[in-house]
């Protein structure tokens, strides 16, 4: 039924489509030009940006309305303001990083409540992180087994447990 409905919508046989967020997957209707999201504060910045991206793919101007009944001090309002202020995905990713923090850089946890970074911030210290990555890549290129860097190898061993190592090896 979903496929049939989507095909009819894409063909212009259906003018208005009301759906849950399941509609986000596979929607590519160039003439879709209006989206109204009810209670969008329940979603993250990335999800809001992806949903909004389902419209405005064709030649027509598009509008996305974020309809909320949440109080002005609700934590989700900051996400809504960010999404309303820009369509730049990179800018939204940076806002999301500021709001949620880094998460666990050696695992799958995305929320920053338990960040693996203790003394630096990936956002605030971007130049330092970039330089550290370049230095690490140079050390590994020169000494892949860290045979000449035994103290570094030992420090890595104290920080990277089996789960973290498995996560890193997945790429």
């Amino acid at each position: 039924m979903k496929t049939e409905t989507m095909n009819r919508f894409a063909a212009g046989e259906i003018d208005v489509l009301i759906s849950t967020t399941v509609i986000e997957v596979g929607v590519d209707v160039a003439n879709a030009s209006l989206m109204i999201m009810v209670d969008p504060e329940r979603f993250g910045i990335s999800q809001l940006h992806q949903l909004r991206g389902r419209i405005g793919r064709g030649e027509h101007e598009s509008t996305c309305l974020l309809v909320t009944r949440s109080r002005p001090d609700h934590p989700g309002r900051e996400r809504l303001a960010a999404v309303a202020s820009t369509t730049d995905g990179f800018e939204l990713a940076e806002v999301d990083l500021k709001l949620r923090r880094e998460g666990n850089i050696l695992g799958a946890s995305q929320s920053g409540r338990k960040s693996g970074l203790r003394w630096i911030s990936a956002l605030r210290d971007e130049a330092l992180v970039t330089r550290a990555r370049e230095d690490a890549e140079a050390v590994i290129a020169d000494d892949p087994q860290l045979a000449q860097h035994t103290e570094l190898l030992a420090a890595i061993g104290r920080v990277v447990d089996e789960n973290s190592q498995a996560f890193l090896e997945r790429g």
Side-chain angles (χ1 to χ4, degrees):
M1 175 126 159
K2 176 185 166 191
T3 302
E4 177 188 335
T5 302
M6 289 307 304
N7 289 338
R8 292 183 62 211
F9 182 60
E13 297 172 22
I14 297 175
D15 292 327
V16 176
L17 188 61
I18 298 172
S19 174
T20 64
T21 55
V22 73
I23 203 64
E24 190 266 327
V25 177
V27 176
D28 189 13
V29 180
N31 288 330
S33 59
L34 174 66
M35 179 178 286
I36 301 170
M37 286 190 234
V38 179
D39 299 329
E41 71 280 357
R42 296 178 305 150
F43 304 111
I45 289 175
S46 175
Q47 192 172 21
L48 291 169
H49 181 63
Q50 289 175 358
L51 285 165
R52 176 179 57 190
R54 302 293 106 195
I55 61 168
R57 293 175 167 219
E59 61 187 46
H60 306 290
E61 282 193 42
S62 64
T63 301
C64 179
L65 301 174
L66 304 174
V67 180
T68 181
R69 293 174 291 231
S70 65
R71 296 189 331 239
D73 62 339
H74 186 281
R77 288 290 187 122
E78 197 168 354
R79 293 190 306 274
L80 298 182
V83 171
S85 71
T86 185
T87 58
D88 182 329
F90 291 106
E91 189 175 326
L92 290 172
E94 192 169 293
V95 170
D96 195 37
L97 180 58
K98 285 178 185 173
L99 292 174
R100 297 183 338 138
R101 297 189 1 234
E102 289 87 357
N104 181 2
I105 62 171
L106 294 177
S109 174
Q110 294 182 6
S111 175
R113 287 185 205 95
K114 269 190 128 177
S115 175
L117 302 177
R118 293 187 183 137
W119 298 289
I120 65 171
S121 161
L123 199 58
R124 182 191 66 227
D125 301 311
E126 182 180 1
L128 177 63
V129 171
T130 300
R131 171 121 188 252
R133 180 183 180 102
E134 291 167 356
D135 290 349
E137 287 172 345
V139 167
I140 294 298
D142 185 53
D143 182 11
Q145 301 302 316
L146 298 178
Q148 298 173 14
H149 299 86
T150 55
E151 289 182 28
L152 176 59
L153 184 60
I156 292 170
R158 288 190 298 272
V159 174
V160 179
D161 60 16
E162 285 183 31
N163 291 335
S164 299
Q165 185 172 351
F167 180 80
L168 290 171
E169 289 173 355
R170 287 192 327 201

